[in-house]
C-alpha cells in the first residue's frame, strides 16, 4: 500500500512522512497509518485563495482513494467581547436575560458563566438556562440571584473574561389596604389612610408612589351648620366668619413683625465683630438682592484713621462676583483685603451674591477712592496699599512672576524621536526618516502663557493652547505629528472645530476644518486631544464655533486650601478651568507659589453654551466648629466669563473661620453648577495642619520623566516590524486588504485621500497611531487590527501575536512603564 500527503496541491516529500503498522485483531488485516507534521511557520508563509489544506491519497493495484481536505488554521482568540453582559434590576419572580457574545476565535470559544466568581451549573438548577446562544436566562428571579455575573470564554489559545454585570433582584414595595373612613368632622369631611408596609422600604428601596391619605365631603355636599342646611345660613353669619379670619390674620402679622424686629436687632449685634452694620434686611433672608454697607462709628478701633470724617459722597459700585482671573486679583482679594472693613467707603454691591469688603489693620489706604466696576480686565483703579508685614500667605505684588512662554527643546536626527511638553498634553512626533541622513536639528516646542494672540471672532472660542514648534525654516520629508489638547466635548452635531495657524505677520488664518477633506494636512480629533499631521512648523491652535446651544466645553473643577494670616481663618479657592493638562498646570503652579494644597481629586464639569451662568457655593459646614464669613457662601460667574476664560485661571475665593484653635479637621461640600446645566460636588475632608494632610498627586509621572526621546526607544513599534507592515499594506490589494483597511481598523475613516498622496500611506498611518497611543500600556489596538486583516495576510498573525508582544515588553522596560 502506498499512502502520501498532498498539501495545497503539492506532494509532501516522502522523508516527511511517518509510518506505523499494526494488526487489526478482529479482522486479522494489517493496518497502516501515516502522519505528517505541519508547522505554524508553514501556515503563515502560505499565500493562497483559501486556507492551508492537506489531503491523504492512497493507492494499490486495486485503484486510488482520496480523503477529504483538512484545513489547518492558526488558532487565536481575540481580546474584546463582541457583547458584554449588562447589569439589570428586576422585580422578584421576573425573568433575567444576560447576553454574551464571546470574542471571535479559532476554534470557536466555549462559554461559561460565573456568579460572584463561582461557576454556574445549570444542570443543578432548573431555574437557570445557559444553553441558549451563550446567554444566561433566569426564568424566575429570586433574591438569592442578586450578584455579579461574568461571562468566561475559552479555547485552546486563551481564556477571556467579560466585564461583570451586577444583577439586583428587588421586592416591589406596595400600599396596604385603605383604612376605614373616619367619623365626619365639624368641617363635614372624613378621611382615611394607608401605609407603605407591603413590605416597608429598606436597603435603599423607594417609597410607594401616590398619596398616603385621602379626604372627601361626608354629606354629599349638604353640609349642616347649626342644624341648618348651608344654603339657608344668613349672610350675617358669613360676614362674622370672615371678620374672625381677618382679625386672626392681622394678629399673626403683628406677631411676625415683632419677631422680625427682634431678629434684626440680635443679628446686628452679632455682626459687630465684623465692623459693619447691615442696612438691608434681605441679609437675614439670604436673598440675592442689592444692599448697602455703611462704615462703623468713628470711634471704632478697627479703623486706622478713626479721626477722619467719612466722605459719604464718594462711593464704589461693585457689579459681578468676586471671582478672579489673574495674579493681581489673587493678591488684592486675600484675607487682608476681602473680609475687613474699608475706612471712609460706602459699598454698594449689585450682584447675585453678597460679599463684605474691606482692608485689615495691616494695610493703609491713602488718597481718594476711585469709583469703578470690579472685576473687568486689568484696567482697574485701586488705592495704593502698603503692607507693613510680609507673611507666607500674602506676597508683594511686585514679586509676581510674569510667565509668557513654556518651552522645551531636543536635538533630533534621521532616526526621529518624540518631544513632549511635560504635564501639558502637548507632544511632537518626528518620524524615522523625516530628517535627511547625516543631518540633525535642534527642534523646540512652546506654549503661549500670556494673553492669546488669537482674538476670537463672533461666537468662536479658543479650545486649546497656542502651540509653537520650530525652527520654521526646517523642511521634513515625511509629515510630523503634533498633538494638541482641547476642551470641547467632541460632537460634529454641536461644534464646528477649526485648525488655525499664525502667519509671519502675526495674523491667524484657517488651515482646515477637522471635518473637511484636505491633502495638505490631516486632523484626527479624539475626545481630549487633536492629532495633526503637518509638513511645516509654526504656531497652531484649535478654535470652535458652537452650532447649537448643546455645544459643551469640558471644565476641570478643583478646590485648593491654605491657612490665612489669621490663625483661625482658612481660605478655600475653587477653580474652573478648561479641561486641558496645560490649563490645570497653570493653576498648580500658582497654588504652589501661594502655599495652597489640593483638597480633592479634580472633576469634569460639562458647561453648555446656553448663556446660563455658573454658581459656586459652600455647603454642609460643620456647625459650632466653623463658620463662613458673611455673604460669601454662594458666588455666581457670568456665562461669558466662563465660556471665554481660556488663558487666565478663573477662581472664586471663600474664607472660613474656626471657633477655636483646637479645630483641625474641615469637612464641607463645594457645589459647582451651571443654571439649567450640569452639576458637580467636591467633597472636602481634610486636616488644616500640613503635617496631617494627605497629599493628592497632581499629575501622572509618565509625562515628566522623558521630555525628549530620540531614536528607536521613542517608538512603540520596532522599525523592522514597521517595514514589514508597510511592505505588506502599501501594495494595492484586489480584496481591499491594503493600507485603506489598515486605516479603517485603526478608526481612521475620513479624508483617506490625504494618505493616498503619501509615498508610504502605511507609514503615515503608523505615525498617527504612535502619536495617538503614546500613553497606552500595550499594543493591543494595533495587534487586534492586524489580527482582523490577518485572515488574508496570514503571515501578519505572527507579528500580532508574538513580535508585538515582545516589542511591547521592550518598550515598557526602556521607558520605565
Amino acid at each position: 500500500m502506498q499512502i502520501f500527503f498532498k498539501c495545497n496541491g503539492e506532494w509532501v516529500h516522502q522523508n516527511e512522512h511517518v509510518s506505523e503498522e499494526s494488526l487489526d485483531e478482529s479482522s486479522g488485516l494489517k493496518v497502516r497509518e501515516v502522519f505528517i507534521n505541519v508547522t505554524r511557520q508553514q501556515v503563515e508563509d502560505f499565500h493562497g485563495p483559501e486556507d492551508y489544506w492537506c489531503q491523504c491519497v492512497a493507492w494499490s493495484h486495486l485503484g486510488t482513494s482520496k480523503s477529504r481536505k483538512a484545513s489547518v488554521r492558526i488558532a487565536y482568540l481575540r481580546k474584546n467581547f463582541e457583547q458584554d453582559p449588562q447589569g439589570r434590576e428586576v422585580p422578584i419572580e421576573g425573568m433575567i436575560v444576560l447576553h454574551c457574545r464571546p470574542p471571535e476565535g479559532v476554534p470557536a470559544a466555549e462559554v461559561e458563566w460565573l456568579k460572584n466568581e463561582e461557576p454556574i451549573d445549570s444542570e443543578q438548577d432548573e431555574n437557570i438556562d445557559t444553553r441558549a446562544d451563550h446567554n444566561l436566562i433566569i426564568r424566575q428571579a429570586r433574591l438569592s440571584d442578586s450578584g455579579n455575573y461574568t461571562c468566561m470564554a475559552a479555547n485552546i489559545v486563551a481564556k477571556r473574561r467579560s466585564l461583570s454585570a451586577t444583577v439586583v433582584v428587588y421586592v416591589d414595595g406596595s400600599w396596604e389596604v385603605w383604612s376605614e373612613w373616619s367619623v365626619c368632622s365639624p368641617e363635614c369631611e372624613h378621611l382615611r389612610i394607608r401605609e407603605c408596609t407591603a413590605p416597608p422600604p429598606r436597603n435603599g428601596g423607594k417609597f410607594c408612589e401616590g398619596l398616603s391619605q385621602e379626604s372627601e365631603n361626608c354629606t354629599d355636599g349638604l353640609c349642616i351648620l347649626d342644624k341648618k342646611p348651608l344654603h339657608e345660613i344668613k349672610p350675617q353669619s358669613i360676614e362674622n366668619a370672615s371678620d374672625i379670619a381677618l382679625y386672626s390674620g392681622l394678629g399673626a402679622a403683628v406677631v411676625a413683625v415683632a419677631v422680625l424686629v427682634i431678629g434684626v436687632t440680635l443679628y446686628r449685634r452679632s455682626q459687630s465683630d465684623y465692623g459693619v452694620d447691615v442696612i438691608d434686611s434681605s441679609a437675614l433672608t439670604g436673598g440675592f438682592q442689592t444692599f448697602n454697607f455703611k462704615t462703623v462709628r468713628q470711634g471704632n478701633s478697627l479703623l486706622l484713621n478713626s479721626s477722619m470724617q467719612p466722605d459719604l459722597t464718594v462711593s464704589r459700585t461693585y457689579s459681578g462676583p468676586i471671582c478672579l482671573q489673574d495674579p493681581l486679583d489673587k493678591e488684592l482679594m486675600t484675607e487682608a483685603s476681602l473680609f475687613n472693613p474699608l475706612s471712609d467707603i460706602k459699598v454698594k454691591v449689585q450682584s447675585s451674591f453678597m460679599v463684605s469688603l474691606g482692608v485689615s489693620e495691616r494695610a493703609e489706604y491713602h488718597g481718594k477712592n476711585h469709583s469703578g466696576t470690579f472685576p473687568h480686565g486689568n484696567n482697574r483703579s485701586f488705592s495704593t496699599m502698603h503692607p507693613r508685614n510680609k507673611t507666607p500667605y500674602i506676597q508683594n505684588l511686585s514679586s509676581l512672576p510674569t510667565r509668557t512662554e513654556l518651552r522645551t527643546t531636543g536635538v533630533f536626527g534621521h532616526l526621529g524621536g518624540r518631544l513632549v511638553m511635560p504635564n501639558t498634553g502637548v507632544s511632537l512626533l518626528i518620524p524615522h526618516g523625516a530628517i535627511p541622513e547625516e543631518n540633525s536639528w535642534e527642534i523646540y516646542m512652546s506654549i503661549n502663557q500670556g494673553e492669546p494672540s488669537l482674538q476670537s471672532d463672533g461666537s468662536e472660542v479658543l479650545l486649546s493652547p497656542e502651540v509653537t514648534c520650530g525652527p520654521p525654516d526646517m523642511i521634513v520629508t515625511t509629515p510630523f505629528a503634533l498633538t494638541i489638547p482641547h476642551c470641547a466635548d467632541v460632537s460634529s452635531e454641536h461644534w464646528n472645530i477649526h485648525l488655525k495657524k499664525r502667519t509671519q505677520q502675526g495674523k491667524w488664518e484657517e488651515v482646515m476644518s477637522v471635518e473637511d477633506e484636505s491633502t495638505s494636512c490631516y486632523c484626527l480629533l479624539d475626545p481630549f486631544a487633536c492629532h495633526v499631521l503637518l509638513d511645516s512648523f509654526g504656531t497652531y491652535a484649535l478654535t470652535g464655533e458652537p452650532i447649537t446651544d448643546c455645544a459643551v466645553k469640558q471644565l476641570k473643577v478643583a478646590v485648593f486650601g491654605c491657612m490665612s494670616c489669621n490663625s483661625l481663618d482658612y481660605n478655600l479657592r475653587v477653580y474652573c478651568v478648561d479641561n486641558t493638562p496645560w490649563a490645570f498646570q497653570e493653576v498648580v503652579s500658582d497654588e504652589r507659589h501661594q502655599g495652597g494644597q489640593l483638597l480633592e481629586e479634580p472633576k469634569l464639569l460639562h458647561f453648555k453654551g446656553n448663556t446660563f451662568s455658573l454658581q459656586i457655593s459652600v455647603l454642609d459646614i460643620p456647625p459650632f466648629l466653623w463658620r463662613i464669613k458673611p455673604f460669601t457662601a454662594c458666588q455666581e460667574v457670568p456665562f461669558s466669563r466662563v465660556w471665554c476664560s481660556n488663558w487666565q485661571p478663573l477662581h472664586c475665593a471663600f474664607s472660613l473661620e474656626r471657633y477655636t484653635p483646637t479645630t483641625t479637621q474641615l469637612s464641607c461640600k463645594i457645589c459647582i453648577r451651571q443654571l439649567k446645566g450640569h452639576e458637580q460636588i467636591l467633597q472636602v475632608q481634610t486636616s488644616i495642619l500640613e503635617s496631617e494632610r494627605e497629599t493628592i498627586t497632581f499629575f501622572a509621572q509618565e509625562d515628566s520623566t522623558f521630555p525628549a526621546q530620540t531614536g528607536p526607544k521613542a517608538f512603540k513599534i520596532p522599525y523592522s516590524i514597521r517595514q514589514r507592515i508597510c511592505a505588506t499594506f502599501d501594495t494595492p490589494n484586489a480584496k481591499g486588504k491594503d493600507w485603506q483597511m489598515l486605516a479603517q481598523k485603526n478608526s481612521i475613516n475620513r479624508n483617506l485621500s490625504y494618505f493616498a498622496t503619501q509615498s508610504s500611506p502605511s507609514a503615515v498611518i503608523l505615525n498617527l497611531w504612535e502619536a495617538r497611543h503614546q500613553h497606552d500600556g500595550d499594543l493591543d489596538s494595533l495587534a487586534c487590527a492586524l489580527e482582523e486583516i490577518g485572515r488574508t495576510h496570514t503571515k501578519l498573525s505572527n507579528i500580532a501575536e508574538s513580535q508585538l508582544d515582545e516589542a511591547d515588553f521592550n518598550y515598557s522596560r526602556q521607558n520605565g512603564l
Side-chain angles (χ1 to χ4, degrees):
M1 295 191 296
Q2 302 289 330
I3 304 178
F4 290 97
F5 278 91
K6 178 184 286 187
C7 293
N8 307 316
E10 298 181 358
W11 292 106
V12 178
H13 195 277
Q14 184 175 0
N15 294 338
E16 298 179 16
H17 290 70
V18 178
S19 178
E20 291 183 358
E21 292 186 356
S22 60
L23 188 66
D24 187 289
E25 296 180 356
S26 59
S27 63
L29 297 177
K30 184 168 63 173
V31 178
R32 187 176 188 188
E33 295 181 77
V34 178
F35 308 88
I36 63 168
N37 288 324
V38 178
T39 65
R40 179 189 182 107
Q41 190 65 42
Q42 289 176 288
V43 177
E44 290 175 347
D45 292 341
F46 171 70
H47 299 281
E50 54 186 340
D51 290 334
Y52 190 103
W53 60 269
C54 290
Q55 185 180 38
C56 178
V57 182
W59 67 87
S60 69
H61 66 281
L62 298 178
T64 302
S65 178
K66 294 183 180 180
S67 70
R68 60 180 178 85
K69 292 181 179 179
S71 297
V72 184
R73 290 183 288 174
I74 302 298
Y76 68 93
L77 182 62
R78 291 185 182 162
K79 295 187 177 181
N80 298 325
F81 278 72
E82 296 184 2
Q83 183 179 6
D84 287 293
Q86 301 295 319
R88 297 281 307 278
E89 291 185 0
V90 295
I92 194 168
E93 297 186 355
M95 177 178 285
I96 303 174
V97 179
L98 298 180
H99 297 280
C100 174
R101 293 175 60 191
E104 182 181 340
V106 174
E110 297 285 339
V111 170
E112 179 185 27
W113 282 91
L114 305 179
K115 176 190 173 186
N116 298 331
E117 303 302 323
E118 295 293 330
I120 297 176
D121 188 356
S122 58
E123 299 292 334
Q124 298 182 1
D125 192 342
E126 296 180 353
N127 193 38
I128 298 179
D129 184 5
T130 59
R131 297 170 296 179
D133 196 23
H134 306 309
N135 299 328
L136 173 68
I137 300 175
I138 302 177
R139 297 183 178 88
Q140 288 186 319
R142 303 155 295 192
L143 293 178
S144 60
D145 291 323
S146 297
N148 296 319
Y149 289 81
T150 309
C151 182
M152 291 283 295
N155 66 2
I156 62 174
V157 177
K159 286 185 177 181
R160 311 289 189 204
R161 289 173 58 97
S162 72
L163 298 177
S164 293
T166 301
V167 172
V168 177
V169 180
Y170 62 87
V171 179
D172 197 3
S174 60
W175 296 102
E176 289 284 2
V177 296
W178 286 101
S179 67
E180 297 293 333
W181 286 104
S182 67
V183 296
C184 198
S185 70
E187 290 79 19
C188 304
E189 287 186 342
H190 61 180
L191 57 87
R192 61 177 182 174
I193 62 173
R194 59 178 178 172
E195 295 182 342
C196 181
T197 57
R202 60 177 182 267
N203 300 326
K206 297 180 181 178
F207 195 78
C208 303
E209 295 183 358
L211 299 176
S212 61
Q213 79 176 33
E214 195 175 66
S215 64
E216 66 179 20
N217 190 284
C218 51
T219 62
D220 294 329
L222 300 176
C223 188
I224 302 300
L225 186 60
D226 293 335
K227 298 183 179 180
K228 294 183 179 181
L230 188 61
H231 64 275
E232 293 183 7
I233 297 177
K234 294 182 179 180
Q236 183 64 34
S237 302
I238 298 177
E239 291 177 3
N240 292 338
S242 301
D243 291 342
I244 294 174
L246 176 62
Y247 295 144
S248 300
L250 289 175
V254 171
V255 173
V257 170
V259 171
L260 182 61
V261 170
I262 295 172
V264 169
T265 303
L266 294 176
Y267 183 83
R268 292 179 62 180
R269 290 181 180 176
S270 68
Q271 295 305 310
S272 62
D273 293 342
Y274 297 103
V276 296
D277 292 330
V278 179
I279 299 176
D280 198 317
S281 62
S282 65
L284 294 178
T285 63
F288 295 107
Q289 303 178 17
T290 299
F291 63 94
N292 299 323
F293 285 102
K294 66 180 181 181
T295 57
V296 295
R297 292 176 293 276
Q298 277 188 335
N300 193 327
S301 61
L302 292 176
L303 295 179
L304 294 175
N305 299 316
S306 60
S307 62
M308 297 175 61
Q309 294 295 324
D311 183 3
L312 299 180
T313 62
V314 180
S315 65
R316 283 187 183 176
T317 300
Y318 292 83
S319 62
I322 304 302
C323 296
L324 315 177
Q325 283 190 303
D326 54 41
L328 179 62
D329 293 329
K330 296 172 186 173
E331 296 311 310
L332 292 177
M333 300 311 297
T334 55
E335 163 64 44
S337 62
L338 185 57
F339 300 111
N340 292 317
L342 284 173
S343 60
D344 303 335
I345 292 181
K346 177 182 178 182
V347 184
K348 181 179 181 183
V349 179
Q350 295 175 328
S351 175
S352 58
F353 76 102
M354 299 176 290
V355 64
S356 62
L357 299 173
V359 294
S360 71
E361 59 183 352
R362 291 178 295 278
E364 296 180 355
Y365 273 68
H366 300 277
K368 289 289 184 179
N369 300 307
H370 303 278
S371 61
T373 302
F374 180 78
H376 278 295
N378 293 324
N379 300 319
R380 298 188 293 274
S381 299
F382 291 98
S383 303
T384 305
M385 185 170 72
H386 301 281
R388 294 181 178 176
N389 300 324
K390 291 186 179 181
T391 71
Y393 306 102
I394 302 180
Q395 56 183 345
N396 191 347
L397 294 180
S398 63
S399 67
L400 286 173
T402 56
R403 300 187 303 272
T404 58
E405 191 176 67
L406 191 65
R407 184 183 176 96
T408 186
T409 62
V411 178
F412 298 89
H414 182 69
L415 297 180
R418 192 190 304 268
L419 188 63
V420 177
M421 191 81 71
N423 300 326
T424 64
V426 178
S427 64
L428 183 68
L429 183 79
I430 308 296
H432 183 283
I435 300 176
E437 289 190 79
E438 299 180 358
N439 285 359
S440 63
W441 287 84
E442 182 181 17
I443 298 177
Y444 64 85
M445 188 165 58
S446 64
I447 296 178
N448 177 22
Q449 292 184 284
E451 183 175 358
S453 60
L454 197 164
Q455 300 299 323
S456 302
D457 297 329
S459 61
E460 193 175 48
V461 293
L462 188 62
L463 297 177
S464 74
E466 295 178 0
V467 179
T468 301
C469 52
D473 57 344
M474 176 179 169
I475 299 176
V476 293
T477 58
T478 302
F480 60 89
L482 177 64
T483 298
I484 306 176
H486 66 80
C487 62
D489 189 4
V490 180
S491 173
S492 58
E493 299 178 359
H494 306 308
W495 281 105
N496 189 7
I497 299 178
H498 307 272
L499 176 69
K500 292 194 172 183
K501 182 180 181 180
R502 189 171 63 191
T503 63
Q504 293 182 349
Q505 292 75 27
K507 296 182 179 180
W508 287 84
E509 61 182 17
E510 181 174 329
V511 179
M512 68 175 296
S513 170
V514 296
E515 297 296 327
D516 288 347
E517 298 285 328
S518 173
T519 57
S520 60
C521 67
Y522 187 89
C523 289
L524 180 61
L525 198 63
D526 277 346
F528 300 104
C530 184
H531 311 282
V532 190
L533 294 176
L534 299 163
D535 54 12
S536 63
F537 290 100
T539 301
Y540 295 90
L542 291 173
T543 64
E545 184 178 0
I547 301 174
T548 69
D549 288 348
C550 295
V552 170
K553 278 184 66 176
Q554 298 185 25
L555 303 180
K556 181 169 288 187
V557 294
V559 56
F560 289 78
C562 70
M563 294 291 291
S564 180
C565 306
N566 186 339
S567 61
L568 293 179
D569 289 356
Y570 191 76
N571 292 333
L572 294 177
R573 289 183 290 272
V574 182
Y575 290 84
C576 300
V577 298
D578 290 349
N579 182 37
T580 60
W582 165 76
F584 190 60
Q585 187 188 33
E586 290 288 285
V587 171
V588 171
S589 177
D590 289 341
E591 281 296 325
R592 283 174 176 163
H593 196 68
Q594 299 183 76
Q597 292 287 333
L598 183 66
L599 303 182
E600 167 70 334
E601 287 288 344
K603 294 185 178 180
L604 280 186
L605 180 77
H606 299 286
F607 191 78
K608 288 186 177 180
N610 57 9
T611 72
F612 286 97
S613 59
L614 187 73
Q615 283 187 350
I616 305 175
S617 54
V618 181
L619 308 173
D620 298 346
I621 299 175
F624 311 115
L625 296 176
W626 291 87
R627 64 177 174 179
I628 191 168
K629 291 297 181 70
F631 321 121
T632 62
C634 180
Q635 304 187 26
E636 186 166 332
V637 188
F639 169 82
S640 59
R641 294 273 303 284
V642 183
W643 191 250
C644 301
S645 64
N646 45 35
W647 74 283
Q648 295 173 322
L650 175 66
H651 84 271
C652 292
F654 301 88
S655 184
L656 279 66
E657 182 181 14
R658 295 179 286 170
Y659 282 97
T660 64
T662 58
T663 301
T664 61
Q665 298 294 321
L666 172 63
S667 65
C668 63
K669 293 180 180 178
I670 310 292
C671 176
I672 305 104
R673 73 183 189 97
Q674 183 185 20
L675 299 179
K676 297 188 178 181
H678 189 217
E679 175 183 279
Q680 277 289 12
I681 299 291
L682 296 176
Q683 182 70 55
V684 176
Q685 186 78 39
T686 186
S687 170
I688 64 174
L689 301 179
E690 188 170 354
S691 59
E692 299 178 2
R693 185 184 298 120
E694 179 182 356
T695 303
I696 299 177
T697 304
F698 294 130
F699 297 103
Q701 296 299 316
E702 63 228 18
D703 254 0
S704 57
T705 309
F706 305 100
Q709 297 173 296
T710 59
K713 66 179 181 180
F715 302 96
K716 301 191 70 174
I717 308 173
Y719 184 64
S720 59
I721 295 181
R722 287 174 59 94
Q723 287 182 308
R724 293 183 60 185
I725 295 176
C726 294
T728 302
F729 289 105
D730 281 344
T731 304
N733 186 284
K735 295 185 178 181
K737 307 286 186 176
D738 51 18
W739 65 265
Q740 297 187 55
M741 177 166 285
L742 180 65
Q744 293 170 0
K745 294 299 182 182
N746 284 282
S747 302
I748 303 173
N749 300 315
R750 44 165 293 277
N751 196 14
L752 296 182
S753 58
Y754 171 82
F755 300 97
T757 62
Q758 305 298 321
S759 58
S760 175
S762 301
V764 179
I765 292 171
L766 294 180
N767 293 338
L768 192 58
W769 184 93
E770 289 272 7
R772 195 178 192 184
H773 297 274
Q774 60 176 312
H775 295 311
D776 287 357
D778 53 39
L779 296 166
D780 279 353
S781 61
L782 182 61
C784 289
L786 295 178
E787 284 177 5
E788 290 184 14
I789 308 173
R791 282 175 289 183
T792 295
H793 294 299
T794 53
K795 68 179 181 180
L796 291 175
S797 60
N798 184 39
I799 298 176
E801 290 291 337
S802 59
Q803 288 184 292
L804 281 182
D805 287 342
E806 182 181 356
D808 177 42
F809 174 78
N810 292 332
Y811 179 87
S812 300
R813 183 179 59 184
Q814 291 170 358
N815 293 282
L817 299 179

